[in-house]
Amino acid sequence: ENTRSLLGSAISVMELLEKGESVLVTGYAQSASASQLLSLVQICSDPYYRTVNGFAVLVEKEWVRFGT
């Protein structure tokens, strides 16, 4: 259920971004879910993050620096 919810949220965020909307991620601040959600959105939206180098940058940026 959590995976389905996370993927659904990622799709919603991507659809809003594609329409040119701004998105503020709230309600995830106390868990790793925000990093998971933002990572999924970036992987799906930007082919760079689907490369080995891009994925390493994503992990550093979204996981290591934020201590999650």
Coordinates of all heavy atoms in Angstrom, one line a residue:
E1 N 0.8 -1.2 0.0 CA 0.0 0.0 0.0 C 0.9 1.3 0.0 O 0.6 2.2 -0.7 CB -0.9 0.0 1.2 CG -1.9 1.1 1.2 CD -2.9 1.2 0.0 OE1 -3.3 0.2 -0.5 OE2 -3.2 2.3 -0.4
N2 N 1.9 1.3 0.8 CA 2.8 2.4 0.8 C 3.5 2.7 -0.5 O 3.6 3.8 -0.9 CB 3.9 2.3 1.9 CG 3.3 2.4 3.3 OD1 2.2 3.0 3.5 ND2 4.0 1.8 4.3
T3 N 3.9 1.6 -1.2 CA 4.5 1.8 -2.5 C 3.5 2.3 -3.5 O 3.9 3.3 -4.3 CB 5.0 0.4 -3.0 OG1 6.0 -0.1 -2.0 CG2 5.7 0.6 -4.3
R4 N 2.3 1.8 -3.5 CA 1.3 2.3 -4.4 C 1.0 3.8 -4.1 O 0.9 4.6 -5.1 CB 0.0 1.5 -4.2 CG -1.1 2.0 -5.2 CD -2.3 1.1 -5.0 NE -2.0 -0.2 -5.3 CZ -2.8 -1.3 -5.0 NH1 -3.9 -1.1 -4.5 NH2 -2.4 -2.5 -5.3
S5 N 0.9 4.2 -2.9 CA 0.7 5.6 -2.5 C 1.8 6.5 -3.0 O 1.6 7.6 -3.5 CB 0.5 5.7 -1.0 OG 0.3 7.0 -0.6
L6 N 3.0 6.0 -2.7 CA 4.2 6.8 -3.1 C 4.3 7.0 -4.6 O 4.5 8.1 -5.1 CB 5.5 6.1 -2.6 CG 6.8 6.9 -2.7 CD1 6.7 8.1 -1.9 CD2 7.9 6.0 -2.2
L7 N 4.0 5.9 -5.4 CA 4.0 6.0 -6.9 C 2.9 6.9 -7.3 O 3.1 7.7 -8.3 CB 3.9 4.7 -7.5 CG 5.1 3.8 -7.4 CD1 4.8 2.4 -7.8 CD2 6.3 4.3 -8.1
G8 N 1.7 6.9 -6.7 CA 0.6 7.7 -7.1 C 1.0 9.2 -6.8 O 0.7 10.1 -7.7
S9 N 1.6 9.4 -5.7 CA 2.0 10.8 -5.4 C 3.0 11.3 -6.4 O 3.0 12.5 -6.8 CB 2.6 10.9 -4.0 OG 1.6 10.6 -3.0
A10 N 4.0 10.5 -6.8 CA 5.0 10.9 -7.7 C 4.4 11.2 -9.1 O 4.8 12.2 -9.7 CB 6.0 9.7 -7.9
I11 N 3.4 10.4 -9.5 CA 2.7 10.7 -10.7 C 2.0 12.0 -10.7 O 2.0 12.9 -11.6 CB 1.8 9.6 -11.1 CG1 2.6 8.3 -11.5 CG2 0.8 10.0 -12.2 CD1 1.7 7.0 -11.6
S12 N 1.3 12.3 -9.5 CA 0.6 13.6 -9.4 C 1.6 14.7 -9.4 O 1.3 15.8 -10.1 CB -0.1 13.6 -8.0 OG -1.1 12.6 -8.0
V13 N 2.7 14.6 -8.8 CA 3.7 15.7 -8.8 C 4.2 15.9 -10.2 O 4.3 17.1 -10.6 CB 4.8 15.4 -7.8 CG1 6.0 16.4 -8.0 CG2 4.4 15.4 -6.4
M14 N 4.5 14.8 -10.9 CA 5.0 15.0 -12.2 C 4.0 15.6 -13.2 O 4.4 16.5 -14.0 CB 5.4 13.6 -12.8 CG 6.7 13.1 -12.1 SD 7.3 11.5 -12.8 CE 5.9 10.6 -13.3
E15 N 2.7 15.3 -13.0 CA 1.7 15.9 -13.9 C 1.6 17.4 -13.6 O 1.5 18.2 -14.5 CB 0.4 15.2 -13.6 CG 0.3 13.8 -14.2 CD -0.9 13.0 -13.8 OE1 -1.6 13.4 -12.8 OE2 -1.2 12.0 -14.4
L16 N 1.7 17.8 -12.3 CA 1.6 19.2 -12.0 C 2.8 19.9 -12.6 O 2.7 21.0 -13.1 CB 1.5 19.4 -10.5 CG 0.2 19.0 -9.9 CD1 0.3 18.9 -8.3 CD2 -0.9 19.9 -10.3
L17 N 4.0 19.4 -12.4 CA 5.2 20.0 -12.9 C 5.1 20.1 -14.4 O 5.6 21.2 -15.0 CB 6.4 19.2 -12.5 CG 6.8 19.3 -11.0 CD1 7.9 18.3 -10.7 CD2 7.1 20.7 -10.5
E18 N 4.6 19.1 -15.1 CA 4.5 19.2 -16.6 C 3.6 20.3 -17.0 O 3.7 20.8 -18.1 CB 4.0 17.8 -17.1 CG 5.1 16.8 -17.1 CD 4.6 15.4 -17.5 OE1 3.4 15.3 -17.8 OE2 5.5 14.5 -17.6
K19 N 2.6 20.7 -16.2 CA 1.7 21.8 -16.5 C 2.3 23.1 -16.1 O 1.6 24.1 -16.3 CB 0.4 21.6 -15.7 CG -0.5 20.4 -16.1 CD -1.7 20.3 -15.3 CE -2.5 19.1 -15.6 NZ -3.7 18.9 -14.7
G20 N 3.5 23.1 -15.6 CA 4.1 24.4 -15.2 C 3.8 24.8 -13.8 O 4.1 26.0 -13.5
E21 N 3.1 24.0 -13.0 CA 2.7 24.3 -11.7 C 3.9 24.2 -10.7 O 4.8 23.4 -11.0 CB 1.6 23.4 -11.2 CG 0.3 23.5 -12.0 CD -0.4 24.8 -11.8 OE1 -0.3 25.4 -10.7 OE2 -1.2 25.2 -12.7
S22 N 3.9 24.9 -9.7 CA 4.9 24.8 -8.6 C 4.3 23.7 -7.6 O 3.1 23.6 -7.4 CB 5.1 26.1 -7.8 OG 5.6 27.0 -8.7
V23 N 5.2 23.0 -7.0 CA 4.8 21.9 -6.1 C 5.5 22.0 -4.8 O 6.8 22.2 -4.8 CB 5.0 20.5 -6.7 CG1 4.6 19.4 -5.7 CG2 4.2 20.3 -8.0
L24 N 4.8 22.0 -3.7 CA 5.4 22.0 -2.3 C 5.1 20.7 -1.7 O 3.9 20.3 -1.6 CB 4.8 23.2 -1.5 CG 5.3 23.2 0.0 CD1 6.8 23.5 0.0 CD2 4.5 24.3 0.7
V25 N 6.1 19.9 -1.3 CA 5.9 18.6 -0.7 C 5.8 18.8 0.8 O 6.7 19.3 1.4 CB 7.0 17.7 -1.1 CG1 6.9 16.3 -0.4 CG2 7.1 17.5 -2.6
T26 N 4.6 18.5 1.3 CA 4.4 18.6 2.8 C 3.9 17.3 3.3 O 3.4 16.4 2.6 CB 3.4 19.7 3.1 OG1 2.1 19.4 2.5 CG2 3.8 21.1 2.6
G27 N 3.9 17.1 4.6 CA 3.3 15.9 5.2 C 4.3 14.8 5.2 O 4.0 13.7 5.7
Y28 N 5.5 15.0 4.7 CA 6.5 13.9 4.6 C 7.7 14.3 5.4 O 8.7 13.5 5.5 CB 6.9 13.7 3.2 CG 5.9 13.1 2.3 CD1 5.1 13.9 1.4 CD2 5.7 11.7 2.2 CE1 4.2 13.3 0.6 CE2 4.8 11.1 1.4 CZ 4.0 11.9 0.6 OH 3.1 11.4 -0.2
A29 N 7.7 15.4 6.1 CA 8.9 15.9 6.7 C 9.6 15.0 7.8 O 10.8 15.1 7.9 CB 8.6 17.3 7.4
Q30 N 8.8 14.2 8.4 CA 9.4 13.4 9.5 C 9.8 12.0 9.1 O 10.1 11.1 9.9 CB 8.4 13.3 10.7 CG 8.0 14.6 11.2 CD 9.1 15.4 11.7 OE1 10.0 14.9 12.3 NE2 9.1 16.7 11.4
S31 N 9.8 11.7 7.8 CA 10.2 10.4 7.3 C 11.0 10.5 6.1 O 11.2 11.5 5.5 CB 8.9 9.6 7.1 OG 8.3 10.1 5.9
A32 N 11.5 9.3 5.6 CA 12.3 9.2 4.4 C 11.4 9.3 3.2 O 11.8 9.4 2.1 CB 13.0 7.9 4.4
S33 N 10.0 9.4 3.4 CA 9.1 9.4 2.2 C 9.3 10.6 1.3 O 9.1 10.5 0.1 CB 7.7 9.4 2.7 OG 7.4 8.2 3.4
A34 N 9.7 11.8 1.9 CA 9.9 12.9 1.1 C 11.1 12.7 0.1 O 11.0 13.0 -1.1 CB 10.2 14.2 1.9
S35 N 12.2 12.1 0.6 CA 13.3 11.8 -0.2 C 12.9 10.7 -1.3 O 13.4 10.8 -2.4 CB 14.5 11.2 0.6 OG 15.0 12.3 1.4
Q36 N 12.1 9.8 -0.9 CA 11.7 8.7 -1.8 C 10.8 9.4 -2.9 O 11.0 9.1 -4.1 CB 10.9 7.7 -1.1 CG 11.7 6.8 -0.2 CD 10.8 5.9 0.7 OE1 9.6 6.1 0.8 NE2 11.4 5.0 1.4
L37 N 9.9 10.2 -2.5 CA 9.0 10.9 -3.5 C 9.8 11.7 -4.4 O 9.6 11.6 -5.7 CB 7.9 11.7 -2.7 CG 7.0 12.5 -3.6 CD1 6.2 11.6 -4.6 CD2 6.1 13.4 -2.8
L38 N 10.7 12.6 -3.9 CA 11.4 13.5 -4.7 C 12.4 12.7 -5.6 O 12.6 13.1 -6.8 CB 12.1 14.5 -3.9 CG 11.2 15.5 -3.1 CD1 12.0 16.4 -2.2 CD2 10.3 16.3 -4.0
S39 N 13.0 11.7 -5.1 CA 13.9 10.9 -6.0 C 13.1 10.2 -7.1 O 13.6 10.2 -8.3 CB 14.5 9.8 -5.1 OG 15.4 10.4 -4.2
L40 N 11.9 9.7 -6.8 CA 11.1 9.1 -7.9 C 10.8 10.1 -9.0 O 10.8 9.8 -10.2 CB 9.8 8.5 -7.3 CG 10.0 7.1 -6.7 CD1 8.7 6.7 -6.0 CD2 10.3 6.1 -7.8
V41 N 10.3 11.3 -8.6 CA 10.0 12.3 -9.5 C 11.1 12.7 -10.4 O 11.0 12.8 -11.6 CB 9.4 13.5 -8.8 CG1 9.3 14.7 -9.7 CG2 8.1 13.2 -8.1
Q42 N 12.3 12.8 -9.8 CA 13.5 13.2 -10.6 C 13.9 12.1 -11.5 O 14.3 12.3 -12.7 CB 14.6 13.6 -9.6 CG 14.4 14.9 -8.9 CD 15.4 15.2 -7.9 OE1 16.4 15.8 -8.2 NE2 15.1 14.8 -6.6
I43 N 13.8 10.8 -11.1 CA 14.2 9.7 -12.0 C 13.2 9.6 -13.1 O 13.6 9.4 -14.3 CB 14.2 8.4 -11.2 CG1 15.4 8.4 -10.2 CG2 14.2 7.2 -12.1 CD1 15.4 7.2 -9.2
C44 N 12.0 9.8 -12.9 CA 11.0 9.7 -14.0 C 11.0 10.9 -14.9 O 10.7 10.8 -16.1 CB 9.6 9.6 -13.4 SG 9.3 8.0 -12.5
S45 N 11.3 12.1 -14.4 CA 11.2 13.3 -15.1 C 12.5 13.6 -15.9 O 12.4 14.3 -17.0 CB 11.0 14.5 -14.2 OG 9.7 14.3 -13.5
D46 N 13.6 13.2 -15.5 CA 14.9 13.6 -16.1 C 15.8 12.4 -16.4 O 16.2 11.7 -15.5 CB 15.6 14.6 -15.1 CG 16.9 15.2 -15.7 OD1 17.4 14.7 -16.7 OD2 17.3 16.2 -15.1
P47 N 16.0 12.2 -17.7 CA 16.8 11.0 -18.1 C 18.2 11.0 -17.5 O 18.8 9.9 -17.3 CB 16.9 11.1 -19.6 CG 16.0 12.2 -20.0 CD 15.6 12.9 -18.8
Y48 N 18.7 12.1 -17.1 CA 20.1 12.2 -16.5 C 20.1 11.3 -15.2 O 21.1 10.6 -15.0 CB 20.4 13.6 -16.2 CG 21.7 13.7 -15.3 CD1 23.0 13.4 -15.9 CD2 21.7 14.1 -14.0 CE1 24.1 13.5 -15.1 CE2 22.8 14.2 -13.2 CZ 24.0 13.9 -13.8 OH 25.2 14.0 -13.1
Y49 N 19.1 11.4 -14.4 CA 19.1 10.6 -13.2 C 18.9 9.1 -13.4 O 19.0 8.3 -12.4 CB 18.0 11.1 -12.2 CG 18.4 12.5 -11.8 CD1 17.6 13.6 -12.1 CD2 19.5 12.8 -11.0 CE1 17.9 14.9 -11.7 CE2 19.9 14.1 -10.6 CZ 19.1 15.1 -10.9 OH 19.4 16.4 -10.5
R50 N 18.7 8.7 -14.6 CA 18.6 7.3 -15.0 C 19.9 6.7 -15.5 O 20.0 5.6 -15.8 CB 17.5 7.0 -16.0 CG 16.1 7.4 -15.4 CD 15.0 6.9 -16.3 NE 14.9 7.6 -17.5 CZ 14.1 8.7 -17.8 NH1 13.4 9.2 -16.8 NH2 14.0 9.2 -19.0
T51 N 20.9 7.6 -15.4 CA 22.3 7.1 -15.8 C 23.0 6.8 -14.5 O 22.6 7.2 -13.4 CB 23.1 8.2 -16.5 OG1 23.3 9.3 -15.6 CG2 22.4 8.7 -17.8
V52 N 24.1 6.1 -14.6 CA 24.9 5.7 -13.4 C 25.4 7.0 -12.7 O 25.2 7.1 -11.4 CB 26.1 4.8 -13.8 CG1 27.0 4.6 -12.6 CG2 25.6 3.5 -14.3
N53 N 25.9 7.9 -13.4 CA 26.4 9.1 -12.8 C 25.3 10.0 -12.2 O 25.4 10.5 -11.1 CB 27.2 10.0 -13.8 CG 28.5 9.4 -14.1 OD1 29.1 8.6 -13.4 ND2 29.1 9.7 -15.3
G54 N 24.2 10.1 -13.0 CA 23.1 10.8 -12.5 C 22.4 10.2 -11.2 O 22.0 10.9 -10.3
F55 N 22.4 8.9 -11.2 CA 21.8 8.2 -10.0 C 22.7 8.5 -8.8 O 22.2 8.7 -7.7 CB 21.6 6.7 -10.3 CG 20.9 6.0 -9.1 CD1 19.5 6.2 -9.0 CD2 21.6 5.2 -8.3 CE1 18.9 5.5 -8.0 CE2 20.9 4.6 -7.2 CZ 19.6 4.7 -7.1
A56 N 24.0 8.5 -9.0 CA 25.0 8.7 -7.9 C 24.8 10.2 -7.4 O 24.8 10.4 -6.2 CB 26.4 8.5 -8.4
V57 N 24.6 11.1 -8.3 CA 24.3 12.5 -7.9 C 23.0 12.6 -7.1 O 22.9 13.2 -6.1 CB 24.3 13.4 -9.1 CG1 23.7 14.8 -8.8 CG2 25.6 13.5 -9.8
L58 N 22.0 11.9 -7.6 CA 20.7 11.9 -6.9 C 20.8 11.3 -5.5 O 20.2 11.9 -4.5 CB 19.7 11.1 -7.7 CG 18.3 11.0 -7.2 CD1 17.6 12.4 -7.2 CD2 17.4 10.0 -7.9
V59 N 21.5 10.2 -5.3 CA 21.6 9.6 -4.0 C 22.4 10.6 -3.1 O 22.0 10.8 -1.9 CB 22.4 8.3 -4.1 CG1 22.8 7.8 -2.7 CG2 21.5 7.2 -4.8
E60 N 23.4 11.2 -3.6 CA 24.2 12.2 -2.8 C 23.3 13.3 -2.4 O 23.2 13.7 -1.2 CB 25.4 12.6 -3.5 CG 26.1 13.8 -2.9 CD 26.9 13.4 -1.7 OE1 27.2 12.2 -1.5 OE2 27.2 14.3 -0.8
K61 N 22.6 13.9 -3.3 CA 21.8 15.1 -3.1 C 20.6 14.8 -2.2 O 20.3 15.6 -1.4 CB 21.3 15.6 -4.5 CG 20.4 16.8 -4.5 CD 20.2 17.3 -5.9 CE 19.2 16.4 -6.6 NZ 18.4 17.1 -7.6
E62 N 19.8 13.8 -2.5 CA 18.6 13.5 -1.8 C 18.7 12.7 -0.5 O 17.8 12.7 0.3 CB 17.5 12.9 -2.7 CG 17.1 13.8 -3.9 CD 16.4 15.1 -3.4 OE1 15.8 15.1 -2.3 OE2 16.5 16.1 -4.2
W63 N 19.7 11.9 -0.4 CA 19.8 10.9 0.7 C 21.0 11.2 1.6 O 20.8 11.3 2.8 CB 19.9 9.5 0.2 CG 18.6 9.1 -0.5 CD1 18.3 9.4 -1.8 CD2 17.5 8.5 0.1 NE1 17.0 8.9 -2.1 CE2 16.5 8.4 -1.0 CE3 17.2 8.0 1.3 CZ2 15.3 7.8 -0.7 CZ3 16.0 7.4 1.6 CH2 15.0 7.3 0.5
V64 N 22.2 11.3 1.1 CA 23.4 11.5 1.9 C 23.4 12.9 2.6 O 23.6 12.9 3.8 CB 24.7 11.3 1.1 CG1 25.9 11.5 1.9 CG2 24.7 9.8 0.5
R65 N 23.2 13.9 1.9 CA 23.2 15.3 2.4 C 22.2 15.5 3.5 O 22.3 16.3 4.4 CB 23.2 16.3 1.3 CG 24.4 16.4 0.5 CD 24.4 17.6 -0.4 NE 25.5 17.5 -1.4 CZ 25.5 18.2 -2.5 NH1 24.5 19.0 -2.7 NH2 26.5 18.1 -3.3
F66 N 21.0 14.9 3.3 CA 19.9 15.1 4.3 C 19.9 14.1 5.4 O 19.0 14.1 6.2 CB 18.6 15.1 3.6 CG 18.4 16.4 2.7 CD1 18.5 16.3 1.4 CD2 18.1 17.6 3.4 CE1 18.4 17.5 0.6 CE2 18.0 18.7 2.6 CZ 18.1 18.7 1.2
G67 N 20.9 13.1 5.4 CA 21.0 12.2 6.5 C 19.9 11.1 6.5 O 19.7 10.6 7.6
T68 N 19.3 10.9 5.4 CA 18.2 9.8 5.4 C 18.7 8.5 5.0 O 19.8 8.4 4.4 CB 17.0 10.2 4.6 OG1 17.5 10.6 3.2 CG2 16.3 11.4 5.2

